[in-house]
C-alpha cells in the first residue's frame, strides 16, 4: 500500500512521509526519537538535527491544548474549494506542537481549549490528521 | 579594520499593479531614477547584486541575467540573491560583503518583483509554498494564515485588540497617501479597516500587505570613494541577521520572532547604539501584527506594550519612534524582492530630508530597516546613518 499525507501536496513522496501517512491510516500517530540524545520529532525526521543517525519510533499522545488559530477565508488556489477552514497549532507535550485543520469548528476557537488529534482519510490514498474539539 | 561602506544613491520605481511593465522594465525604471538623481554613471559600477524572490510569478527563470542585460551591464559580474521577502536586504548585505572584503569598490543592488501577472489566488498558493512543503503546506496555510496564527497568540497573551491592528493599517494607508511612489494612495478610516472582509481571521483585508509590482535600487561604495558621488553618503553602521524554524508549529514562541530579536541585537552592537538612538524605522509590516511584534522585537517597546503605543500614535512621523511613514508594505506595497531595497531608499531620503513634507521626520540622522523573509525564517536588520554631520 502507498499513502500520501495531507489535503494537497507537491513533494514527491519520500519513504518517511509515506510511512507516516500509512501509520495515520491505521490511526497511529508516530513520530521518532533520537536514540543518542533523546530529542523527539513529530512529524518524524530521517535523522536527528544533531546528526545522530539512529532513530526509533515515538508514538505521541493525542490530546493537546490550542496555542494559535486562524480561519482561512482567502485560500491558496489549490485549496480554494475547501475554504473557509480553521487551522490550529496545539501542544501535545512540551516541545511537540502540531499544526492541523479543525474541520468541525463552528465558532471562534479559544486559545487553551482541549483538542484531540484524529485520523482523517481525504481520498483513496490520502491521509491526514485533524483536530477535534473535546467537549468538557 | 578595513574602511566602511556607504550608500551613495537610491532609485525607486512606482509600486503598484503595473500592467504595462515587466520585471526588467521595473528594474530599469528604478536604476534610471538612481542615475537621474545621483552623480553616478554606469562606468562607476563594478558589479551588481540582483534580488528577486519568486520565479513563479512571471515565469522568467534566471531573472538576474535578464535585469543585468536590461541595465546594459552585461559583462559585469552579477549574482542573484533570494531570501524570500528579505531578499532586498540580503542583496544589500551581499554587496556590503563584496566591498568590505576588498573584492569590489562599487556595487549596484537592485531588488525587483513582478507579482500581478497571476491571480491573487495563484499568488497566494505560490507564497504558501514558502511554508514547509512536506508538513504544513498540505493543510492549506496561506501567508496571511501564518501571521494570523501569530496574531491569535499575541491577542490571547497580551490583550491585543482588533482596534490596535487596524490602527496600524490606518496609519500606513495615511502615509502611503502622501507617498508618490506608493501602490495605494487612499486613506482608510478606522471603521472601514475594522470592518473589512476576513482574509485569514483574525486578520482582515486591511491587515494585509499588497500584492505589488515594483523595483528599487541602491549603489554601495567603499567610504573612501563615496564623496565622489555625493556630498551626503549614508553609512551602513549595523547589520544583524537571525532565522527561525521552517515549521511554524516548531517555534519556541508564537508571539515574537526570535530571529528578529537576534538580528536587532547584532545590529545595535555593531553600530554601537541602542533602540533609543534610532530616529525612524521601516519595519516589515507584511501584516499589521508583524509591525506590532517588530516594535517589541526591535526593543522600541517592552513585550505587550506596543499596542498602547500604537493607540497613542507614537509611531506617526512626529511621534516617539516614527515607523513606516512611507506607507509600509501594507500600503506602499510589497513587491517581495524590492521591499528591503525600498526600505533603504526611503531611509536614505528621510535622512537627507528629501521626502514629502507631510511625512518627513525632522532632523533624523539614524534609521533602522527590519526586513523579514517568510514568517521569520530570514530576518535582516540594518542601521543606516548620515555620516556627513
Ligand atoms: C488580501 C489579498 C488576498 C486581497 O487580494 P484580492 O482579493 O485579490 O484583491 P484584488 O486584487 O482583487 O483587489 C480588489 C480591491 O482591493 C484592493 N486591495 C487588494 N489587496 C488589498 C489589501 N491588502 N489592502 C487593502 N486593499 C487591498 C485593491 O486595490 C482593489 O481595489 P480597487 O477595487 O479600488 O482597485 C491580497 O492583497 C494578499 O494576498 N495580500 C497579502 C500578500 C502577501 O501575503 N504577501 C507576502 C507577505 S510575507
Ligand atoms: Zn540526536
Amino acid at each position: 500500500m502507498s499513502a500520501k499525507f495531507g489535503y494537497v501536496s507537491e513533494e514527491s513522496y519520500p519513504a518517511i512521509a509515506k510511512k507516516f501517512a500509512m501509520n495515520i491510516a491505521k490511526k497511529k500517530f508516530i513520530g521518532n526519537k533520537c536514540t543518542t540524545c533523546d530529542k523527539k520529532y513529530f512529524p518524524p525526521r530521517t535523522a536527528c538535527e544533531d546528526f545522530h543517525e539512529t532513530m526509533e519510533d515515538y508514538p505521541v499522545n493525542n490530546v493537546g491544548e490550542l496555542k494559535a488559530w486562524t480561519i482561512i477565508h482567502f485560500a491558496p488556489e489549490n485549496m480554494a474549494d475547501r475554504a473557509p477552514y480553521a487551522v490550529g497549532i496545539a501542544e501535545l507535550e512540551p516541545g511537540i506542537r502540531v499544526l492541523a485543520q479543525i474541520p468541525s469548528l463552528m465558532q471562534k476557537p479559544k486559545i487553551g481549549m482541549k483538542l484531540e488529534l484524529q485520523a482523517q482519510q481525504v481520498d483513496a490514498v490520502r491521509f491526514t490528521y485533524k483536530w477535534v474539539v473535546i467537549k468538557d | 579594520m578595513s574602511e566602511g561602506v556607504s550608500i551613495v544613491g537610491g532609485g525607486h520605481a512606482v509600486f503598484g499593479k503595473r500592467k504595462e511593465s515587466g520585471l526588467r522594465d521595473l528594474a530599469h525604471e528604478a536604476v534610471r531614477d538612481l542615475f537621474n538623481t545621483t552623480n553616478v554613471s554606469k562606468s562607476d559600477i563594478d558589479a551588481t547584486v540582483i534580488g528577486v524572490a519568486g520565479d513563479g510569478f512571471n515565469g522568467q527563470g534566471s531573472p538576474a541575467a535578464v535585469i543585468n542585460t536590461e541595465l546594459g551591464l552585461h559583462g559585469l559580474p552579477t549574482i542573484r540573491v533570494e531570501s524570500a521577502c528579505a531578499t532586498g536586504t540580503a542583496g544589500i548585505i551581499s554587496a556590503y560583503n563584496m566591498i568590505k572584503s576588498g573584492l569590489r569598490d562599487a556595487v549596484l543592488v537592485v531588488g525587483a518583483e513582478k507579482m500581478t501577472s497571476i491571480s491573487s489566488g495563484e499568488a497566494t498558493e505560490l507564497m504558501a509554498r514558502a511554508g514547509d512543503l512536506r508538513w504544513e503546506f498540505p493543510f492549506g496555510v496561506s501567508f496571511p494564515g501564518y501571521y494570523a496564527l501569530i496574531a491569535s497568540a499575541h491577542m490571547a497573551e497580551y490583550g491585543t485588540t482588533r482596534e490596535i491592528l487596524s490602527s496600524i493599517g490606518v496609519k500606513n494607508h495615511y502615509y502611503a497617501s502622501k507617498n508618490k511612489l506608493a501602490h495605494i494612495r487612499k486613506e482608510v478610516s478606522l471603521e472601514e479597516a475594522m470592518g473589512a472582509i476576513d482574509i485569514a481571521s483574525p486578520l482582515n483585508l486591511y491587515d494585509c500587505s499588497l500584492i505589488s509590482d515594483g523595483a528599487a535600487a541602491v549603489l554601495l561604495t567603499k567610504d573612501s570613494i563615496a564623496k565622489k558621488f555625493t556630498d551626503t553618503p549614508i553609512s551602513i553602521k549595523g547589520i544583524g541577521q537571525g532565522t527561525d524554524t521552517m515549521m511554524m508549529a516548531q517555534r519556541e514562541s508564537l508571539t515574537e520572532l526570535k530571529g528578529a530579536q537576534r538580528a536587532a541585537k547584532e545590529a545595535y552592537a555593531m553600530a554601537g547604539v541602542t533602540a533609543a538612538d534610532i530616529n525612524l524605522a521601516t519595519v516589515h509590516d507584511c501584516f499589521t501584527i508583524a509591525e506590532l511584534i517588530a516594535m517589541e522585537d526591535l526593543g522600541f517597546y517592552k513585550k505587550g506594550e506596543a499596542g498602547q503605543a500604537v493607540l497613542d500614535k507614537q509611531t506617526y512621523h512626529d511621534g516617539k519612534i516614527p515607523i513606516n511613514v512611507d506607507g509600509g508594505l501594507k500600503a506602499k506595497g510589497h513587491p517581495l524582492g524590492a521591499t528591503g531595497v525600498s526600505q533603504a531608499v526611503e531611509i536614505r531620503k528621510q535622512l537627507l530630508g528629501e521626502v514629502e513634507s507631510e511625512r518627513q521626520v525632522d532632523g533624523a540622522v539614524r534609521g533602522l530597516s527590519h526586513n523579514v523573509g517568510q514568517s521569520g525564517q530570514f530576518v535582516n536588520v540594518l542601521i543606516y546613518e548620515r555620516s556627513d554631520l
Side-chain angles (χ1 to χ4, degrees), chain A residues 34 36-37 48 50 52:
Chain A
C34 173
T36 312
C37 72
C48 175
D50 286 333
H52 311 123

Side-chain angles (χ1 to χ4, degrees), chain A residues 51-96:
Chain A
F51 295 92
H52 311 123
E53 281 176 29
T54 337
M55 308 290 279
E56 63 184 26
D57 280 358
Y58 181 76
V60 295
N61 131 54
N62 68 339
V63 175
E65 191 178 288
L66 187 69
K67 294 287 177 190
W69 62 271
T70 177
I71 299 169
I72 309 271
H73 294 265
F74 191 94
E77 189 72 8
N78 62 344
M79 287 291 285
D81 55 353
R82 292 174 182 269
Y85 46 86
V87 173
I89 293 177
E91 187 165 276
L92 293 175
E93 57 183 89
I96 297 190

Side-chain angles (χ1 to χ4, degrees), chain B residues 162-178 184-196 204-208 285 287-288 291 310-311 313 315-316 323-328 330-332:
Chain B
R162 171 75 271 150
E163 185 185 353
I164 291 170
L165 296 183
S166 293
S167 298
I168 292 172
V170 168
K171 168 180 68 73
N172 294 356
H173 273 277
Y174 168 76
Y175 283 114
S177 78
K178 314 290 180 205
I184 293 191
R185 302 197 56 194
K186 184 182 86 189
E187 286 185 47
V188 292
S189 66
L190 183 61
E191 206 178 12
E192 225 179 315
M194 289 179 71
N204 72 31
L205 183 69
Y206 282 108
D207 291 310
C208 299
D285 60 324
F287 301 95
T288 51
E291 178 165 323
V310 167
L311 296 176
K313 295 192 181 319
T315 52
Y316 276 69
I323 293 181
N324 290 338
V325 297
D326 58 350
K330 171 71 209 73
K332 179 182 67 177

Side-chain angles (χ1 to χ4, degrees), chain A residues 10-11 69-71 73 85, chain B residues 129 134 139-140 152 199 201:
Chain A
E10 281 300 316
E11 213 189 19
W69 62 271
T70 177
I71 299 169
H73 294 265
Y85 46 86
Chain B
R129 283 165 197 280
R134 185 178 294 175
F139 291 100
S152 74
I199 299 297
S201 54

Side-chain angles (χ1 to χ4, degrees), chain B residues 277-353:
Chain B
D277 300 315
I278 303 298
N279 304 126
L280 86 147
T282 54
V283 311
H284 199 90
D285 60 324
C286 48
F287 301 95
T288 51
I289 182 66
E291 178 165 323
L292 192 75
I293 61 173
M295 291 165 66
E296 298 173 351
D297 288 339
L298 294 169
F300 296 138
Y301 295 94
K302 292 203 184 76
K303 287 227 56 113
E305 292 181 6
Q308 189 56 47
V310 167
L311 296 176
D312 294 343
K313 295 192 181 319
Q314 290 183 18
T315 52
Y316 276 69
H317 76 291
D318 51 359
K320 184 177 158 218
I321 172 73
I323 293 181
N324 290 338
V325 297
D326 58 350
L329 286 58
K330 171 71 209 73
K332 179 182 67 177
H334 183 25
L336 312 179
T339 288
V341 184
S342 169
Q343 291 180 329
V345 172
E346 162 68 10
I347 290 177
R348 174 177 178 271
K349 280 195 195 164
Q350 282 280 358
L351 301 186
L352 298 180

Side-chain angles (χ1 to χ4, degrees), chain B residues 241-260:
Chain B
Q241 297 185 274
T243 61
D244 212 330
T245 60
M246 186 64 183
M247 284 167 67
M248 192 58 106
Q250 291 180 344
R251 296 288 165 88
E252 208 177 291
S253 165
L254 289 165
T255 57
E256 61 205 345
L257 300 186
K258 295 278 187 206

